[in-house]
Amino acid sequence: MSRTSSLAGTAERAPAARRPFRWKRAEALLAPAFLYYFVLLVLPSAAFCVVSFYGRSDTGFFDGVFTLKNYVSVLTDGFYLGSLWLTFRISVETTLACLLLGYPAAYYLAKLSPAARKKLIILLLFPLLLSTVIRVYGWIALLGRRGIVNQVLLSSGATDYPIAFLYTEGTVLLGLVSILLPYMIINITNTLITIDPALREAAAAHGAGPFKIFLKVTLPLSGAGMVSGAVMVFTIAMSTYIISFLLGGPKVKLLGNLIFDSTSSFNWPLAAALSVVLVVATAAACGAMVRLLGSPANGMAR
Amino acid sequence: MASVEIAGVSKQYAGAWAVDRVSITVPDGSFFSLLGPSGSGKTTLLRLVAGFLRPDAGTVRIGPAIVNEVPPHKRDIGMVFQQYALFPHQTVLDNVAFGLEMRGMGRKAREAKAREALEMVRMAGRERAYPKELSGGQQQRIAIARSIAARPAVWLLDEPLSALDRKLRIEMQSELRSLQKLLGITTIYVTHDQEEALAMSDGIAIFRDGRIAQQGSAEDLYERPADGFVADFLGSANLIEGVVARGPQGLHVVAEGEAFRPSADHILRENERVHLAIRPERLDLSGAPGAAQGLPARVESVLYLGSDLRVVLRTRGGALLVARAPSRGTALAEGAEVFAAFKPEDAAIVAH
Ligand SMILES: Nc1ncnc2c1ncn2[C@@H]1O[C@H](COP(=O)(O)OP(=O)(O)O)[C@@H](O)[C@H]1O
Ligand SMILES: [Mg+2]
């Protein structure tokens, strides 16, 4: 107690003149990254927000006449709304699948010795060395009309004609999960290993068996890791383009693919409006996720 | 309630014995302290009783049953950890009610019981707070309430007060002890603080390198330490080297050329090398030589400690003695020649 008060005393006694000096230094350190993002992210984002309120032009980027018609068509046209809903649904499914598959793996990793865990985490990150395109082509080689799976099924007589695995929602989901699972596992593992082992012992000493310990201590205290993993996976899934392009083709068009299509047809304002809608929808969903799961009862307030 | 019986228990870590053939019986309802320097095996023994570790040899009984194979959650214990280990995601009330919830008690009943426990540790009114909103001392009270709310058969505490400041620690010592008496709960208390152990315990075991150096009541250990380690660990002791010799009145100890009569309860063997162990406060510097048994010495330094003086003396034989004398009425200067007298019963004769 005396310790706390003396610490507080030190803070109060810190000379006023030193504070601005420290702050200026901190800002100086921030400046390069800040400038980089301001020029290359904030300004362009502001620009496409502006562009989204204009009509298309055959000669330039946009026509210079203010209009809401891009948003009206995005938010009323069943084609775009359907794609938004599909994008959202696949992203939620991806997030849930990653949670269910990732949690047990993370739990196992967290139980290992730090040295053994390090080795397995390197293994887990290994696929990230390969480009997403190459890994997705792996799925095509497996699941295409003349892919390995169909070859086996045909030659074993399990089916008489190739099964259309590609260009289905399920295959897009499969691809997304296979690419995003490591992010979820690492987020949950990193939270699990911060849980003080004494808490599990305290639970055991006061009558909790292994399952109750998991339910009452481990699971709630890993809430922060599940939320950060879910936000990461969900965000990447919402904005995916290449995975759905290769595995979903013309049939499974996510919002990212529609944005690309709009730019290919030089409708920059529509692409901009779709992008704004995508960003807003993603941010809203993530905000809801953090709010819903981010209470102290879920270990977020530690 | 139940007694705890530890019989010939050993536990090794990586080839080294952290606990080595330890036997302790803690009678039903009594307060037993495991005292010893850091690394001497106290926590390991407590964890063996809690069930977090399994003994490599020996048995642990709680009540009549051998519990070697019983997991912690089935042992009916309550435990207080050194760093509190409160659940950060639960309110104070939920923390305290945890043991009751695990024992299957309904919400209403367990919250009533938890409030009762909070009252016992004088923390009523903070039910809705989260642990991080409380001070260290308050968190420790919550941890104590959690450990007793379900009225377990055995109470285990691992240096529960070591993170608190001195004033709070002394206050909590007496609170813990009266709580223990009120509940009549069999208690094993780990501490490295000898004053704490002496003040609180019915029985004490002193640990050294995984073994029990001596066990008994506080008075046993303080007045009749088995060896120099115990004597010195339980408050400082002056150790004077001597050897047992036979004289006209039987066996006695010869130290620095003087003969010292043993008190009645020592068993001596001729020619054995021993230490005379004398507490600083039992050395009397006020008398003249010849009136009692003692050693002439020269004052090396005098330290003023408020109500007491701490006087460092050097005997003619070169032994360093520390005496405590009341500061009022004692006039000693550095370099003064004094006679350090002590009664036979104040000199424990301990193995060399
Ligand atoms: N988990 C462990 N692994 C290896 N050695 C340990 C472990 N726990 C304790 N020890 C060793 O066992 C001995 C006793 O430790 P401990 O029971 O914690 O002592 P105390 O509580 O008296 O300070 C020490 O030498 C310590 O280094
Ligand atoms: Mg310890």
Side-chain angles (χ1 to χ4, degrees), chain B residues 81-295:
Chain B
F81 295 78
Q82 193 168 358
Q83 297 301 327
Y84 319 135
L86 292 173
F87 305 126
H89 57 299
Q90 293 191 346
T91 61
V92 162
L93 192 66
D94 286 343
N95 264 284
V96 176
F98 187 86
L100 299 158
E101 185 185 353
M102 292 304 116
R103 284 161 173 83
M105 192 178 277
R107 176 169 287 276
K108 266 236 157 69
R110 69 174 186 253
E111 288 190 348
K113 281 246 171 204
R115 286 202 161 81
E116 209 175 279
L118 281 170
E119 244 153 57
M120 285 185 193
V121 298
R122 299 194 286 124
M123 284 297 293
R126 299 309 305 271
E127 288 86 353
R128 294 280 150 234
Y130 282 92
K132 69 170 164 66
E133 298 163 14
L134 305 176
S135 72
Q138 290 173 322
Q139 290 189 36
Q140 192 57 295
R141 283 171 189 276
I142 303 307
I144 290 163
R146 177 178 65 181
S147 68
I148 54 166
R151 301 295 154 85
V154 177
W155 199 18
L156 305 174
L157 303 96
D158 191 357
E159 311 214 10
L161 307 182
S162 62
L164 306 181
D165 60 46
R166 185 179 156 76
K167 190 161 165 286
L168 195 57
R169 205 160 63 226
I170 288 169
E171 187 184 317
M172 289 298 292
Q173 284 170 11
S174 64
E175 277 192 43
L176 277 177
R177 181 58 163 148
S178 33
L179 201 55
Q180 187 268 338
K181 280 187 176 153
L182 178 77
L183 300 172
I185 187 172
T186 311
T187 302
I188 302 180
Y189 189 94
V190 167
T191 179
H192 65 259
D193 179 341
Q194 47 95 11
E195 263 179 52
E196 194 164 288
L198 290 175
M200 299 175 79
S201 322
D202 297 315
I204 301 174
I206 298 192
F207 276 70
R208 181 190 197 178
D209 299 335
R211 298 205 192 163
I212 294 182
Q214 190 180 1
Q215 61 177 314
S217 71
E219 199 199 329
D220 278 345
L221 301 187
Y222 195 76
E223 299 294 342
R224 289 172 289 282
D227 58 25
F229 174 79
V230 174
D232 200 45
F233 195 76
L234 278 183
S236 49
N238 295 299
L239 298 178
I240 302 167
E241 279 188 44
V243 69
V244 178
R246 184 173 296 281
Q249 286 160 359
L251 292 174
H252 60 263
V253 176
V254 177
E256 301 196 2
E258 305 270 338
F260 295 95
R261 277 177 292 123
S263 64
D265 47 359
H266 284 103
I267 297 159
L268 299 179
R269 272 168 293 151
E270 197 170 351
N271 295 328
E272 190 184 12
R273 285 163 57 78
V274 293
H275 275 132
L276 291 170
I278 307 141
R279 301 283 170 202
E281 71 274 15
R282 305 282 167 86
L283 281 177
D284 180 5
L285 306 181
S286 62
Q293 63 173 21
L295 289 171

Side-chain angles (χ1 to χ4, degrees), chain A residues 92-265:
Chain A
V92 168
E93 286 164 358
T94 303
T95 307
L96 290 179
C98 285
L99 267 174
L100 288 178
L101 295 174
Y103 201 103
Y107 191 87
Y108 172 77
L109 285 174
K111 289 243 160 186
L112 292 176
S113 73
R117 179 163 59 238
K118 206 166 170 185
K119 281 184 201 137
L120 285 188
I121 285 187
I122 289 173
L123 212 60
L124 186 68
L125 294 178
F126 216 69
L128 301 186
L129 294 177
L130 275 179
S131 98
T132 306
V133 178
I134 294 172
R135 284 195 288 155
V136 173
Y137 265 113
W139 284 116
I140 293 176
L142 272 174
L143 300 174
R145 271 183 70 83
R146 299 154 143 266
I148 295 166
V149 173
N150 269 324
Q151 305 261 7
V152 170
L153 290 177
L154 285 169
S155 61
S156 71
T159 176
D160 293 333
Y161 41 88
I163 298 171
F165 293 114
L166 289 184
Y167 308 152
T168 62
E169 227 184 289
T171 302
V172 173
L173 184 62
L174 191 69
L176 277 168
V177 171
S178 75
I179 303 282
L180 297 178
L181 188 53
Y183 297 103
M184 182 67 90
I185 294 176
I186 283 169
N187 269 285
I188 298 177
T189 306
N190 282 341
T191 306
L192 283 174
I193 58 178
T194 63
I195 299 177
D196 182 358
L199 295 178
R200 286 190 202 118
E201 291 192 345
H206 296 106
F211 181 66
K212 280 281 172 62
I213 294 176
F214 176 74
L215 218 59
K216 301 297 281 189
V217 178
T218 310
L219 189 63
L221 288 179
S222 58
M226 289 192 282
V227 170
S228 62
V231 165
M232 200 180 267
V233 167
F234 180 81
T235 311
I236 301 177
M238 282 292 279
S239 59
T240 188
Y241 157 71
I242 193 69
I243 299 169
S244 46
F245 178 74
L246 293 175
L247 297 177
K251 296 237 182 79
V252 186
K253 290 253 180 202
L254 301 189
L255 223 49
N257 304 101
L258 294 189
I259 293 169
F260 180 77
D261 290 352
S262 309
T263 59
S264 320
S265 58

Side-chain angles (χ1 to χ4, degrees), chain B residues 13 18 37-44:
Chain B
Y13 284 121
S38 155
S40 59
K42 309 177 299 288
T43 296
T44 305

